[in-house]
Amino acid sequence: MTETVRHALVIGAGLAGAALCAALARRGWRVTLLDAASGPAQAASALPVGMLSPHVTRAPTPLSRLCELGVPDMRAELERLVPQGQGWQACEVDNLGHDPGRWPAALVRPAALVQAWLEETRRLGALITRWNAQVTGLRRVPGANHDTSDSEPADWQALDASGQVLAQAPVVVVAAAFGSFALLTASADLMNADALPLRPVKGQMSLAALHDAPLAERPQRDNGVFVPVYEDSGLPPQWPARIWAMGSTYERGDNSSHLSDAAHERNAQSLQAINAAAAQRLREAQAGTELMGWAQVRCASLDRLPVMGAVPQLGALQARMAQAGARRGRVPLADTPRWPGLFVLSALGSRGLTLSHWCATRLAAQIDASQAELPPVDEDLLKALDPARFAWRQARRQAA
């Protein structure tokens, strides 16, 4: 028996998608990467500068526990793949509000990581890219190149708006941030809004060139993050090579990417509580022509945790619960039927820098059905990320 071709489609070329490409390539998979843009890191991952830092809470939460795993993992990736000054720089951050203190951190241009992961995938001979490829639907069809004992081998096809096939493989991973919602709910056979409660969250950053001394020794954080200085040879030509920045706003339900003066003012108001001199500089820059801005849409789930794993098969889940009858409350999440070969990695929210690689590594192991080499993780934490968790909870609550 010949092993099934280890080929996956990854939809979305931001932090999540690029990290997954590299994670699969390290396991010997071939990857076809599709994105609607003309190149990688064109949406939320095009942020000029973000912060990698601990998520500090008074008591452990699923998100703080995830970040405790994700921060050192991402820092190791930065040190392995990206030279300082060409995509990131080490720093400390002063927390001025909740849990005040000084924490180790790093300032990161996410696109540098995206490019590094895709270059690693290319070096492994595993990457095919399809740009300007807007995927609007998914279809499961009989597989074309299988030689297995499976009686019904199947592939997934990624379709464009006219129904034409963009690419095809036995495995597909939807990693398209909030675009994942439209794609996975486009067919009622796959998901619906209740089973996949994803929300757009717009963020706008205010920034400008820094020509003189920074107004703080290190980044400061309260309601937003003030970066007094960030230097990166990869910022030009879109941005100055040396900038200061404040951001970003967190506008739930907004799926637009236009810049607004109102969002700049919200950043100024947040900055006023952090550094009054910097807030004055922001307003002066806005009054003139120096202030620049960046705005894009992040994706968050209803419970603000990522969705990572195999997509549930809703019809089969309902049948499973109906069979269980009055005992449906005892059906474990692990018994949720799944679509073979269909996975999702989305809803990283404002923690894409922290969680993208850790989640991608875990998901690649799940796809590859080989997790023995990974450090153990508490089962409840993995359940908290399961894409089936929303549909499973609803199905358990329904009357028998």
Side-chain angles (χ1 to χ4, degrees):
M1 182 181 72
T2 304
E3 184 180 357
T4 302
V5 175
R6 286 150 53 94
H7 176 209
L9 307 182
V10 174
I11 301 171
L15 281 167
L20 185 61
C21 287
L24 286 170
R26 293 174 205 141
R27 291 175 170 271
W29 283 67
R30 180 165 55 92
V31 180
T32 299
L33 176 63
L34 301 98
D35 196 280
S38 59
Q42 297 295 300
S45 297
L47 180 71
V49 58
M51 176 164 285
L52 174 67
S53 62
H55 180 71
V56 182
T57 56
R58 292 184 176 89
T61 67
L63 184 57
S64 69
R65 291 164 61 198
L66 280 171
C67 291
E68 189 175 357
L69 298 169
V71 167
D73 175 74
M74 185 61 82
R75 179 61 180 262
E77 285 297 284
L78 287 169
E79 294 177 351
R80 183 175 73 90
L81 292 172
V82 184
Q84 284 211 54
Q86 298 178 37
W88 75 288
Q89 64 186 45
C91 66
E92 294 179 314
V93 59
D94 286 336
N95 274 13
L96 303 179
H98 175 65
D99 285 307
R102 186 169 298 166
W103 305 97
L107 297 173
V108 184
R109 177 169 52 86
L113 264 173
V114 171
Q115 294 283 5
W117 282 325
L118 295 184
E119 181 56 35
E120 180 181 22
T121 310
R122 289 189 188 94
R123 287 197 305 269
L124 293 170
L127 184 63
I128 299 171
T129 55
R130 293 287 307 276
W131 307 122
N132 302 304
Q134 176 73 58
V135 181
T136 60
L138 297 171
R139 179 171 63 198
R140 195 162 184 253
V141 297
N145 298 308
H146 292 267
D147 182 10
T148 73
S149 58
D150 187 347
S151 60
E152 295 184 359
D155 275 2
W156 287 95
Q157 292 179 336
L159 309 175
D160 66 13
S162 65
Q164 297 298 307
V165 177
L166 295 168
Q168 177 171 327
V171 170
V172 61
V173 185
V174 180
F178 185 61
S180 303
F181 176 81
L183 182 53
L184 287 172
T185 60
S187 170
D189 293 337
L190 294 181
M191 297 284 274
N192 57 49
D194 291 332
L196 189 68
L198 303 183
R199 307 287 188 264
V201 181
K202 179 182 177 181
Q204 180 168 316
M205 172 177 281
S206 306
L207 68 149
L210 181 65
H211 300 295
D212 48 14
L215 293 179
E217 291 185 18
R218 63 189 63 83
Q220 300 170 302
R221 176 170 53 200
D222 191 353
N223 183 22
V225 177
F226 169 50
V227 177
V229 57
Y230 178 63
E231 297 184 62
D232 185 338
S233 61
L235 283 170
Q238 184 175 6
W239 310 106
R242 188 171 186 256
I243 62 173
W244 62 264
M246 174 62 196
S248 64
T249 59
Y250 199 86
E251 302 170 45
R252 295 182 180 89
D254 193 336
N255 193 27
S256 68
S257 59
H258 64 273
L259 295 172
S260 76
D261 289 338
H264 280 314
E265 177 56 27
R266 284 194 292 275
N267 280 332
Q269 292 171 4
S270 297
L271 186 52
Q272 185 71 39
I274 296 174
N275 189 311
Q280 181 180 350
R281 172 180 283 181
L282 191 158
R283 290 190 170 105
E284 291 172 350
Q286 185 177 13
T289 59
E290 296 181 8
L291 190 66
M292 308 171 75
W294 174 92
Q296 264 297 342
V297 177
R298 297 160 291 191
C299 178
S301 69
L302 182 64
D303 58 14
R304 301 189 183 183
L305 291 172
V307 291
M308 179 198 82
V311 173
Q313 200 166 2
L314 299 184
L317 174 61
Q318 292 297 335
R320 174 73 179 86
M321 290 299 188
Q323 183 182 29
R327 294 179 176 270
R328 67 175 57 215
R330 299 184 182 181
V331 175
L333 178 60
D335 283 2
T336 301
R338 315 288 174 141
W339 283 104
L342 179 59
F343 300 85
V344 59
L345 176 55
S346 185
L348 299 181
S350 56
R351 290 283 167 174
L353 275 175
T354 301
L355 301 178
S356 56
H357 186 261
W358 187 89
C359 286
T361 302
R362 285 280 159 183
L363 182 54
Q366 181 180 340
I367 294 168
D368 198 45
S370 174
Q371 303 193 48
E373 76 282 7
L374 295 180
V377 176
D378 291 342
E379 190 65 25
D380 70 306
L381 197 56
L382 295 178
K383 288 180 180 178
L385 309 181
D386 194 320
R389 63 189 185 268
F390 305 106
W392 172 75
R393 289 168 188 157
Q394 292 166 355
R396 280 162 51 101
R397 289 194 298 265
Q398 292 173 356

